[in-house]
Amino acid sequence: MATNEDQKQTESGRHQEVGHKSLLQSDALYQYILETSVFPREHEAMKELREITAKHPWNLMTTSADEGQFLSMLLKLINAKNTMEIGVYTGYSLLATALAIPEDGKILAMDINKENYELGLPVIKKAGVDHKIDFREGPALPVLDELVKDEKNHGSYDFIFVDADKDNYINYHKRLIDLVKVGGVIGYDNTLWNGSVVAPPDAPLRKYVRYYRDFVLELNKALAVDPRIEICMLPVGDGITICRRIK
Ligand code: SAM
Ligand code: CA
C-alpha cells in the first residue's frame, strides 16, 4: 500500500511540467546522474555555455547536460565526421558535437534565429572548434531540398541531430533518409514530448505541448514502421529516438 511518504514523493518528485530535463522518477535520481557522472566531466566550455544559456528567457529549449554527454559519446562511438544539426538555439548540442568530432570534422548547422547562436558563438570560438561549423540562418527545409537535389550529398552524413520545429520532423525525415549514409545515425529529439505522448485526451496540457504532441505521435508511429532504419527510443532528456539507416 502506498504510504503518505510515497504519495508525497510521487507528487513532488515526478516531472509533470514542461521544462524538467528528465523523465526519471525523481529529481534526486536525476541530480545523482548529473553530479556523479555528468558535471564532473563536462568540458569547461560546455559549462560556460550552459551558464550563459541559463540566463536566457528561452532556456527551456537548451539540451540538458546529460544529453550533451550522451551525444558526445554517440558521436565518438560511430566516428562521426560529417554531421548536421537542425535547431541550434545557443549551441549547447552544437558545441558538444564540435568538440566530439575530429579536427577536420564538419557540422552543417541550421536555425531560423541567428541571435541566439551568436550568444554562444564566443564560447565556441574560445573552445577552438568554430572552424568545424557552417551555420545557415533560415528554415532548414529549403536547405535540405537543395542538398537532396545533388546526388553527391546522398549518403554523405554520418550523424544528423534534429531538434527544431516538431511539426516538420516527418518532412525532415523524408529528406534526411537520403542524406545520411547507410550505417549512419539520425537523432530525433523530444520524442517523448515531456511525457505527453501518453497523456489522456483530457489532460491539462499547455497549448504548445498539445499542439506539437500530435506531430510527435505521428513521427513516432512513422519511425516505428520505417523499414529503412533501426530505431532505439531513449528516455534521455525529453526522449531521443536514435535511427540507424540500414538501407
Ligand atoms: N539543440 C539546441 C540546443 O542544444 O540548445 C536546442 C534547439 S531549440 C529546442 C529549437 C530551435 O529550432 C530554436 O532555436 C528555433 O529557432 C529553431 N527552429 C525552429 N524552426 C526552425 C526551422 N524551420 N528551421 C531551422 N530551425 C528552426
Ligand atoms: Ca530538444
Side-chain angles (χ1 to χ4, degrees):
M1 210 178 83
T3 63
N4 279 351
E5 210 34 58
D6 289 339
Q7 183 74 21
K8 230 166 48 199
Q9 166 70 15
T10 304
E11 281 164 10
S12 66
R14 287 251 171 94
H15 300 281
Q16 302 288 359
E17 289 289 312
V18 173
H20 286 284
K21 290 299 175 194
S22 165
L23 297 162
L24 288 174
Q25 264 188 342
S26 72
D27 286 319
L29 200 47
Y30 183 47
Q31 282 307 317
Y32 176 80
I33 293 173
L34 291 176
E35 279 156 29
T36 310
S37 101
V38 181
F39 291 153
R41 287 172 170 269
E42 189 183 31
H43 190 285
E44 56 180 22
M46 301 278 292
K47 181 171 188 283
E48 191 179 347
L49 182 51
R50 186 161 54 77
E51 287 169 355
I52 290 170
T53 305
K55 295 183 200 129
H56 190 264
W58 306 341
N59 61 27
L60 200 74
M61 295 207 299
T62 189
T63 297
S64 58
D66 53 319
E67 185 170 3
Q69 188 185 54
F70 165 70
L71 289 174
S72 169
M73 175 66 88
L74 177 62
L75 286 155
K76 289 175 185 174
L77 287 173
I78 65 170
N79 290 317
K81 191 166 166 184
N82 194 33
T83 72
M84 188 193 297
E85 175 166 300
I86 304 178
V88 169
Y89 181 44
T90 61
Y92 192 81
S93 54
L94 182 64
L95 179 56
T97 306
L99 289 167
I101 62 177
E103 260 309 288
D104 59 346
K106 294 266 166 277
I107 314 166
L108 172 61
M110 290 164 266
D111 203 299
I112 48 173
N113 182 318
K114 193 175 182 185
E115 256 173 59
N116 294 331
Y117 168 61
E118 283 173 346
L119 266 181
L121 190 55
V123 182
I124 295 174
K125 284 189 173 157
K126 200 160 77 179
V129 289
D130 53 303
H131 63 283
K132 302 178 190 176
I133 299 168
D134 172 11
F135 180 85
R136 311 269 183 96
E137 183 181 16
L141 212 52
V143 180
L144 299 186
D145 281 335
E146 276 308 304
L147 289 175
V148 169
K149 269 191 208 156
D150 188 346
E151 288 258 347
K152 254 198 347 260
N153 298 314
H154 288 206
S156 67
Y157 287 87
D158 304 309
F159 180 78
I160 301 171
F161 183 52
V162 183
D163 190 15
D165 43 340
K166 316 303 167 209
D167 43 350
N168 254 325
Y169 274 27
I170 292 261
N171 295 325
Y172 293 145
H173 187 61
K174 284 183 185 146
R175 289 144 178 93
L176 296 179
I177 197 67
D178 288 333
L179 297 173
V180 74
K181 71 175 187 192
V182 173
V185 170
I186 311 172
Y188 288 104
D189 203 34
N190 302 90
T191 51
L192 294 174
W193 204 226
N194 200 245
S196 70
V197 288
V198 292
D202 57 347
L205 301 176
R206 291 177 192 199
K207 221 164 141 188
Y208 88 91
V209 174
R210 180 170 297 284
Y211 172 75
Y212 287 112
R213 179 174 71 150
D214 291 344
F215 292 98
V216 174
L217 288 170
E218 278 310 305
L219 173 82
N220 290 343
K221 265 197 257 172
L223 295 181
V225 297
D226 188 336
R228 299 165 298 181
I229 51 173
E230 290 172 342
I231 64 168
C232 176
M233 194 186 232
L234 295 170
V236 173
D238 189 27
I240 176 167
T241 303
I242 302 300
C243 308
R244 179 174 170 272
R245 183 175 171 196
I246 50 173
K247 57 179 159 182

